[in-house]
Amino acid sequence: MVTVECITDLLTPEGDSRIRELVLEEKPVGVVLNDEPVGTAMVMARDLEELAVGYLFGQGLIEPGDKIFDIEVCEQGRINVYAEVTPRPDDEMITTSGCGGTGKIARRLLHEDYPEPADFCISFHEVAELIKRTLAWSSLSQDTHCVHGCGYYSEGAFQVCYEDVGRHNAVDKLMGAILLGRFSPRGAAYTTGRLTSDMVLKCARMGIPVVLSRTAPSSLGLDIARRSGLTLGCYVRPGRVNVFNAPHRIVR
Amino acid sequence: MVTVECITDLLTPEGDSRIRELVLEEKPVGVVLNDEPVGTAMVMARDLEELAVGYLFGQGLIEPGDKIFDIEVCEQGRINVYAEVTPRPDDEMITTSGCGGTGKIARRLLHEDYPEPADFCISFHEVAELIKRTLAWSSLSQDTHCVHGCGYYSEGAFQVCYEDVGRHNAVDKLMGAILLGRFSPRGAAYTTGRLTSDMVLKCARMGIPVVLSRTAPSSLGLDIARRSGLTLGCYVRPGRVNVFNAPHRIVR
């Protein structure tokens, strides 16, 4: 269960009543890489294997192509990941300002070159399908008003949606799933959250060619999109894509 | 300026047009305490003195009562804070999942005792005033759809609203302002963001008695409210306060 029920006092000038509310469970999970603790994140405790791998990718500790041997999700709220990774320099970390399960990125990741986005395009009809399937994935958002979703369209079909208390965690879960080989990086991601620097950065580093949001970009998210060449669409609705970079990948 | 203008391609199945959009500037700022770098956060570059002090408070490095001597906001995006602080143990940091300018909290802060919330109550009329003045503070939200606001009502009047790309940063700015002696901690904060653990934690540690949000709590935010005794109101609208803890502070 990722929700708890509670009784609240609904107060108005005309009178009070007791009502039942569903509240999302936010939990700390520790992520460990090759027996070295990396950090702890506040998450929604679902899809934790994907989360851990994506979290490590977000920290710059795992890259596409690194071999992941094993993942153990422990009851005490710790996730042990065993992988063959390239040693990294000590990074200067930046705390990101967004619903951030990672909450920080290595400064060097902002300035590295990004892989060429995969050759890919998506139609209005497919964008509409991606939005509808993402928003219909579960009732958590309507029930708790405390989750963000990250849906994915690839290989001609809607593939999956990951949800979490933080928009960054939701994207981490998708990144983790791609790194685990469950989905191709050649696709379109749709998030219910804003496209701030860290959100776009993850997708740019993965080479994801189309990144869509229900809402707004920040200047840094847009800068990263421009540098990487990915298609950035914001305020997206079925039949309406407001493209801030590389519109050619949205087709009729 | 905290916004940039750009031209986007608004694509629909019926045709395309070029439109002008305003995008919020997200910038990295480094926070330094007594010449020791503490961290870097992605913020909206306004109210940076308050942000730096609040950020350090959020990290558990400054406490109420600590004397703050000087704050220098440098052009290169660094903020130097000089303060007389109590040395702290090396903390285990948790990356929080929320629009987090701090993006991390010390685990010990989750388990410490909180100060007794100040003796305080607020009427429906005052709550309505707090909401309206917060939402009317600037046009940034309507223009960019990329900011959160944290408004404050104290000493019988609306006092201030702080805005930022991250809801945590906005609260940090208010906490910083209180620590700088500009406002009393005896008041009601209203945020446009969700009340996740880190959001409520800051207010609990400051002893703020009433914490309101336009939207939802998380389970950990609620737990901290219960432990501290503060009043937690969510989904708040003029004339409608859904109180998850300690309803007695909302009066007619």
Side-chain angles (χ1 to χ4, degrees):
Chain A
M1 280 302 293
V2 292
T3 60
V4 291
E5 190 174 302
C6 62
I7 304 298
T8 70
D9 290 276
L10 179 56
L11 309 180
T12 76
E14 297 75 33
D16 310 335
S17 49
R18 303 271 282 171
I19 64 173
R20 172 186 167 274
E21 291 282 1
L22 276 176
V23 175
L24 189 81
E25 281 212 312
E26 177 193 4
K27 279 188 177 166
V29 293
V31 181
V32 181
L33 175 61
N34 298 332
D35 295 322
E36 294 282 338
V38 174
T40 306
M42 291 295 198
V43 306
M44 182 180 93
R46 194 173 273 177
D47 304 310
L48 291 178
E49 288 189 0
E50 294 93 324
L51 174 80
V53 174
Y55 175 92
L56 293 171
F57 170 70
Q59 303 287 307
L61 296 171
I62 283 182
E63 296 293 330
D66 287 347
K67 184 160 169 44
I68 296 156
F69 298 117
D70 196 18
I71 309 168
E72 302 167 352
V73 179
C74 306
E75 280 178 18
Q76 305 90 329
R78 195 175 56 248
I79 313 165
N80 295 313
V81 177
Y82 297 95
E84 190 178 282
V85 297
T86 313
R88 308 269 177 240
D90 270 339
D91 280 315
E92 178 196 351
M93 304 305 289
I94 301 179
T95 305
T96 58
S97 59
C99 285
T102 59
K104 46 181 182 153
I105 55 177
R107 188 185 275 278
R108 69 172 161 85
L109 299 176
L110 283 177
H111 303 292
E112 286 184 339
D113 291 329
Y114 305 119
E116 186 77 21
D119 178 33
F120 176 86
C121 63
I122 186 167
S123 69
F124 284 105
H125 176 82
E126 291 174 313
V127 169
E129 175 76 358
L130 169 56
I131 296 170
K132 287 169 187 168
R133 296 288 301 274
T134 299
L135 299 182
W137 184 256
S138 84
S139 66
L140 278 174
S141 186
Q142 296 97 292
D143 291 343
T144 67
H145 307 281
C146 206
V147 294
H148 276 294
C150 182
Y152 196 54
Y153 198 98
S154 179
E155 297 175 295
F158 172 81
Q159 296 292 336
V160 67
C161 172
Y162 287 105
E163 293 179 309
D164 198 274
V165 60
R167 66 180 188 274
H168 299 85
N169 296 344
V171 172
D172 280 350
K173 289 172 179 177
L174 176 62
M175 299 300 108
I178 291 171
L179 288 167
L180 288 166
R182 296 176 196 178
F183 308 109
S184 159
R186 194 166 162 269
Y190 167 75
T191 172
T192 58
R194 290 169 292 156
L195 287 170
T196 46
S197 58
D198 29 18
M199 297 284 282
V200 184
L201 180 62
K202 294 171 200 292
C203 298
R205 290 173 55 220
M206 195 64 80
I208 290 176
V210 175
V211 179
L212 307 174
S213 166
R214 183 166 63 179
T215 177
S218 74
S219 64
L220 272 187
L222 179 50
D223 286 352
I224 293 166
R226 285 171 172 159
R227 283 184 41 223
S228 76
L230 62 79
T231 293
L232 197 78
C234 299
Y235 309 111
V236 180
R237 304 286 183 275
R240 188 186 191 280
V241 188
N242 192 345
V243 185
F244 284 65
N245 192 64
H248 60 282
R249 294 192 182 89
I250 311 295
V251 298
R252 285 190 177 80
Chain B
M1 280 303 294
V2 293
T3 60
V4 292
E5 190 174 302
C6 63
I7 305 298
T8 70
D9 290 277
L10 178 57
L11 309 181
T12 76
E14 296 76 36
D16 310 334
S17 50
R18 303 271 282 171
I19 64 172
R20 172 185 167 274
E21 291 283 0
L22 275 177
V23 175
L24 189 82
E25 281 212 314
E26 177 193 5
K27 279 189 179 165
V29 293
V31 181
V32 181
L33 174 62
N34 297 334
D35 295 322
E36 293 283 339
V38 174
T40 306
M42 291 294 197
V43 307
M44 182 181 93
R46 195 174 272 178
D47 305 309
L48 291 178
E49 289 189 0
E50 294 93 324
L51 174 78
V53 174
Y55 176 91
L56 292 171
F57 170 71
Q59 301 287 310
L61 296 172
I62 283 181
E63 295 293 330
D66 287 347
K67 185 160 169 43
I68 295 157
F69 296 118
D70 196 18
I71 308 168
E72 303 167 352
V73 179
C74 306
E75 281 179 16
Q76 307 90 329
R78 193 174 57 248
I79 314 166
N80 295 313
V81 177
Y82 296 95
E84 190 178 284
V85 297
T86 313
R88 307 267 177 243
D90 271 338
D91 281 315
E92 178 197 349
M93 304 305 290
I94 301 178
T95 305
T96 59
S97 59
C99 284
T102 58
K104 47 182 182 155
I105 56 177
R107 188 185 276 278
R108 70 171 159 85
L109 299 177
L110 283 176
H111 303 293
E112 287 184 338
D113 291 329
Y114 305 120
E116 186 77 21
D119 177 34
F120 176 86
C121 61
I122 186 167
S123 69
F124 285 104
H125 176 83
E126 291 173 314
V127 168
E129 174 78 357
L130 170 56
I131 296 170
K132 288 169 188 169
R133 296 288 301 275
T134 299
L135 299 182
W137 183 258
S138 84
S139 65
L140 279 174
S141 186
Q142 296 95 293
D143 291 343
T144 67
H145 307 282
C146 207
V147 295
H148 276 293
C150 181
Y152 196 54
Y153 198 99
S154 181
E155 296 175 296
F158 173 80
Q159 296 292 336
V160 68
C161 172
Y162 287 104
E163 294 179 306
D164 197 275
V165 60
R167 67 181 188 272
H168 299 84
N169 295 344
V171 173
D172 279 350
K173 290 172 179 177
L174 176 61
M175 299 300 108
I178 291 172
L179 288 168
L180 288 165
R182 295 176 196 179
F183 309 108
S184 158
R186 194 167 163 266
Y190 166 76
T191 172
T192 57
R194 290 169 292 155
L195 287 170
T196 46
S197 57
D198 30 18
M199 297 284 282
V200 184
L201 180 62
K202 295 172 200 291
C203 297
R205 289 173 55 219
M206 194 66 80
I208 290 176
V210 175
V211 180
L212 307 173
S213 165
R214 183 167 63 180
T215 178
S218 74
S219 64
L220 271 186
L222 179 51
D223 285 352
I224 292 167
R226 286 172 172 158
R227 282 183 42 223
S228 76
L230 62 77
T231 293
L232 198 77
C234 299
Y235 309 112
V236 180
R237 305 286 184 273
R240 188 186 191 280
V241 187
N242 193 346
V243 184
F244 285 65
N245 192 63
H248 61 281
R249 295 192 182 88
I250 312 293
V251 299
R252 288 192 176 78

